[in-house]
Amino acid sequence: MKDDFRFLRACRRQEVDCTPVWMMRQAGRYLPEYRALRKKHSFWEMCKTPELAVEVTLQPLRRFELDAAILFSDILVPLEAMGSAIEFYEGRGPVVERPIRSRADLEGLKVIKAEEAVPFVMEAIRILRRELAGKAPLIGFSGAPFTLASYLVEGGGSKQYQHVKTLMYSDPQTYHRLMEMITDTVISYLSAQIQAGAQVVQLFDSWVGCLGPCDYREYAFPYNRRIFEALNRFNVPTIHFANQASTLLEQVVEAGGDIIGVDWRQDLGRAWQTIGYDRGIQGNLEPVSLFAPIPEIHKRVKRIIEQAENRPGHIFNLGHGILPTTPIDHAKAMIDAVHEFSAR
Ligand code: CP3
């Protein structure tokens, strides 16, 4: 039946025949067919050409029995559209050319109207919905405001988050202004993705775990909350993934999301108890466990399924993105095991 995919059923906490599974970063470098295409095109070209983004999105679904597709794109796409030049250097990851460090640095940034600023994303979604019809539902996504602001202020990935925290503590007005601009952009971006056809959206707060509980409350929570409130008007399930955030779990739940994504550092059963059974949960196999022998992977998959106790609303996933060197047959073994071990 149309739209009666087990992934969407689980998002609505309805009964399923078995637990649905997908993998964060499933469209990416661990697949030789991705690497082959990447040899011919730059990363930005792949993100900005709908046909290429569509192809990469579909690649993992040709190999595995995945229960959802996630749009191939990057959390940095809307930041570039806001006016921040981002260069992608081989082997080093994306680098922000002019990091935001002061009020004056905000001048070059603008809030975007996503449908106009990044039309290629919406076009990829529209094509994907046609290609995926009857096969799998499509997940759209965005980075969360703190994670995106960190990227703009640090200028790239970071260990200590020194620059973004310095801005936060010494010039809170500028920090909050930046967060407001990003939040408005994220709301426009996710709303446009939903209107283009994304059936579920995930907010990635990958770096928020560097904040203590008081700082989360003041500097991240209000913005995440505003995003989930704004998305309420669409009848589309939302996933809130906060990485390394077990100490922030209650606040993450309060900020919003129909499904709470958890990493592997916490016990899924206990996390769900804290979250409450009126929400779904997504997770949480450690990505590195896919390097273990298959019987060990089976053991770990089984343990997570037992922790979820076959309650409706569990979506199996890795606790964070799949690593580029992951053996493909191990990923397949994990996916098949989830379906087999959780069959009702
Ligand atoms: O999940 C998916 O398959 C969808 C696509 C997706 C990508 N990036 C593709 C990508 C998603 C959801 C992201 C999210 C993302 N991007 C995050 C947050 C997600 C998380 O893991 O918590 C962050 C912090 C980024 C920023 C980013 N993009 C970095 C740090 C890098 C370089 C390092 C790395 O991990 O690859 C990228 C590049 C990137 N984004 C690649 C892919 C497939 C690799 C590009 C290449 O070399 O071909």
Side-chain angles (χ1 to χ4, degrees), residues 101 153-154 161-172:
R101 300 281 160 84
V153 178
E154 297 294 332
Y161 301 91
Q162 180 198 320
H163 295 293
V164 68
K165 289 185 182 182
T166 301
L167 183 70
M168 199 182 257
Y169 303 148
S170 56
D171 185 358

Side-chain angles (χ1 to χ4, degrees), residues 103-118:
R103 185 84 189 180
D105 295 334
L106 290 184
E107 302 268 300
L109 284 190
K110 58 176 187 299
V111 174
I112 62 161
K113 288 202 179 73
E115 184 65 65
E116 294 161 23
V118 286

Side-chain angles (χ1 to χ4, degrees), residues 22-30 34-35 38 41-43 46-47 56-57 60 70-76 88-94 139 141-143 147-148 151 156-157 202 204-207 241 243 319-322 324:
W22 67 281
M23 301 183 293
M24 287 190 274
R25 296 288 191 106
Q26 69 189 21
R29 283 171 301 179
Y30 70 108
Y34 173 86
R35 295 196 300 269
R38 250 301 256 127
H41 307 277
S42 74
F43 183 62
M46 307 246 300
C47 289
V56 175
T57 302
I70 181 162
L71 169 72
F72 171 79
S73 186
D74 197 83
I75 62 165
L76 305 177
F88 197 87
Y89 299 106
E90 287 311 314
R92 203 178 138 204
I139 305 169
F141 69 89
S142 171
T147 295
L148 294 178
Y151 222 98
Q202 172 157 325
F204 282 89
D205 217 348
S206 309
W207 293 346
F241 172 68
N243 186 37
H320 203 178
I322 186 167

Side-chain angles (χ1 to χ4, degrees), residues 202-230:
Q202 172 157 325
L203 196 68
F204 282 89
D205 217 348
S206 309
W207 293 346
V208 82
C210 73
L211 296 179
C214 294
D215 283 345
Y216 182 87
R217 175 62 65 180
E218 189 169 345
Y219 297 107
F221 175 87
Y223 302 99
N224 288 338
R225 171 84 164 231
R226 190 142 78 72
I227 290 167
F228 287 108
E229 276 172 359

Side-chain angles (χ1 to χ4, degrees), residues 135-293:
K135 293 182 194 143
L138 179 65
I139 305 169
F141 69 89
S142 171
F146 176 78
T147 295
L148 294 178
S150 299
Y151 222 98
L152 285 182
V153 178
E154 297 294 332
S158 176
K159 282 209 171 76
Q160 307 293 345
Y161 301 91
Q162 180 198 320
H163 295 293
V164 68
K165 289 185 182 182
T166 301
L167 183 70
M168 199 182 257
Y169 303 148
S170 56
D171 185 358
Q173 268 193 328
T174 297
Y175 172 84
H176 283 297
R177 180 69 200 120
L178 174 62
M179 288 291 278
E180 269 161 27
M181 292 176 77
I182 293 174
T183 302
D184 288 341
T185 292
V186 169
I187 290 171
S188 168
Y189 189 48
L190 288 177
S191 301
Q193 289 185 39
I194 292 169
Q195 280 158 339
Q199 287 149 294
V200 172
V201 290
Q202 172 157 325
L203 196 68
F204 282 89
D205 217 348
S206 309
W207 293 346
V208 82
C210 73
L211 296 179
C214 294
D215 283 345
Y216 182 87
R217 175 62 65 180
E218 189 169 345
Y219 297 107
F221 175 87
Y223 302 99
N224 288 338
R225 171 84 164 231
R226 190 142 78 72
I227 290 167
F228 287 108
E229 276 172 359
L231 297 179
N232 252 337
R233 70 188 176 98
F234 304 105
N235 204 7
V236 156
T238 54
I239 307 175
H240 186 174
F241 172 68
N243 186 37
Q244 292 214 35
S246 56
T247 52
L248 304 171
L249 189 56
E250 284 92 345
Q251 293 198 73
V252 168
V253 173
E254 195 187 334
D258 299 303
I259 296 107
I260 305 297
V262 294
D263 69 45
W264 69 94
R265 299 168 188 89
Q266 47 189 334
D267 176 283
L268 183 125
R270 265 192 285 166
W272 208 348
Q273 213 175 0
T274 305
I275 290 165
Y277 300 119
D278 58 340
R279 311 278 190 111
I281 192 166
Q282 177 173 280
N284 70 343
L285 185 75
E286 181 178 349
V288 175
S289 65
L290 293 182
F291 293 82

